[in-house]
Amino acid sequence: MILVTGGTGLVGAHLLLHLVESETTVRAIYREPKSIEKTKSLFKLYQKEYLFSKIDWVQADIIDVPTLEIAFKNVDFVYHCAGLISYDPNDEDLLRKVNIEGTANIVNFCIDNKIKKLCHVSSIAALGNQQSHETEISEETEWNPETAHSDYAISKYGAEMEIWRGQQEGLDVVIVNPGVIFGAGFWNQGSGLFFSSIKNEFPFYTNGSTGYVGVTDVVKIMIRLMNSTIVSERFTLVAENLTFKKVIFLIAENLNAKKPKIEAKPWMTAIGWRLDLFISTIFRTKRKLSKYSANSLHSSDFISNEKIKNPEVLGLNFEFQSIDSVIKEVCAKHKYD
């Protein structure tokens, strides 16, 4: 039996789709009944709704220990995809509770239930900090606690520390660190907001860059790693490093939407996050742009994917799907959905 946490999120839902297609016995966690509908909609989007009933759904929460006892019964392998993504400074405590404490709970249950292997979905945000003499960021880049990090990055790094604690206690683990993940469905959250915002003719772009990857590549690699003898390793999953302008323009072209015409300069985003802070304070609304997020829109670190592409890792020369192709597929689904 395979257990998937975060089965109602982008990665978890696509992972479930791939697992049940291979006739694997799968259990997935959900917190609220309505959240399952998002995953069901994804199966329907791919015209595979008939496979949805093969999932054994269990109501549980990774920060609610008693509910996890039922979820872990008769489980052999665990994919830990659950986590909170937020760049709102007001969510600092919640990020630490869900991403660090929640992961610690999963690790503890894996150890207690003698789970054969755990795959943890982390993020490139948890990778180290590129130094002046370095040209890229990889799995080996050192994390500098003195450097400014977002609360999200700190929480994902803390989650990884819990995974390595489990490894030291005898648990077989593997970690993946995806870049920005593009995939169909979930248009109103996470990376899906790229597509929804551009469809609604968002007018700004920046020339900062980051690493991107298609969700299908992410889940394929996760499954291959879990089925391999590889343990105690982590792998950066990035297909390409592209500028936000390039990605936004590609999405606009494929959605037949207007391309944004205004380049948001650093001084503009600096005003933007301060204005957003003022509005959220006065009207008690959720932050849309933090100081860290504003700065990251102009950063251009290069994320390396050489480790996962090494033929000796997965037994083949893994080739990522191009982001151009990923965007075309996602936009086609967006129009259909």
Side-chain angles (χ1 to χ4, degrees), residues 137-326:
I137 293 175
S138 72
E139 297 85 350
E140 306 304 319
T141 305
E142 185 177 354
W143 174 278
N144 183 359
E146 302 301 322
T147 301
H149 298 92
S150 68
D151 293 321
Y152 170 68
I154 293 170
S155 71
K156 294 303 284 186
Y157 179 77
E160 288 195 15
M161 294 303 100
E162 293 296 335
I163 299 295
W164 296 130
R165 172 182 63 81
Q167 181 261 331
Q168 291 174 353
E169 295 182 31
L171 178 64
D172 283 345
V173 302
V174 65
I175 297 175
V176 293
N177 295 76
V180 177
I181 305 171
F182 283 157
F186 305 90
W187 310 118
N188 296 316
Q189 63 188 69
S191 62
L193 291 172
F194 271 82
F195 299 86
S196 299
S197 297
I198 295 165
K199 187 176 182 179
N200 292 328
E201 300 183 0
F202 187 73
F204 301 101
Y205 68 88
T206 69
N207 279 307
S209 66
T210 191
Y212 298 86
V213 65
V215 69
T216 299
D217 281 341
V218 173
V219 299
K220 282 182 177 178
I221 291 173
M222 289 169 62
I223 292 170
R224 289 182 182 180
L225 288 173
M226 284 289 272
N227 291 336
S228 74
T229 58
I230 297 170
V231 295
S232 305
E233 296 280 358
R234 69 171 177 165
F235 298 90
T236 300
L237 309 186
V238 166
E240 297 178 65
N241 289 267
L242 298 171
T243 64
F244 293 112
K245 177 182 179 180
K246 173 72 173 178
V247 169
I248 289 171
F249 278 30
L250 280 172
I251 294 174
E253 289 172 4
N254 283 281
L255 287 178
N256 295 319
K258 289 183 179 179
K259 294 179 181 177
K261 297 181 178 179
I262 305 171
E263 179 185 353
K265 301 289 186 179
W267 66 267
M268 296 172 66
T269 54
I271 293 174
W273 74 257
R274 288 176 171 84
L275 181 61
D276 180 64
L277 173 61
F278 175 77
I279 293 173
S280 67
T281 302
I282 297 298
F283 297 101
R284 297 190 176 184
T285 56
K286 195 165 183 64
R287 293 285 301 277
K288 296 180 178 63
L289 185 68
S290 68
K291 178 180 180 180
Y292 185 89
S293 297
N295 292 336
S296 68
L297 291 172
H298 305 283
S299 65
S300 299
D301 292 332
F302 184 88
I303 314 296
S304 172
N305 63 5
E306 289 305 309
K307 184 175 180 179
I308 193 64
K309 291 177 68 175
N310 187 333
E312 295 180 2
V313 174
L314 295 177
L316 73 163
N317 232 341
F318 188 85
E319 290 296 330
F320 286 94
Q321 183 180 2
S322 71
I323 297 304
D324 188 358
S325 176
V326 170

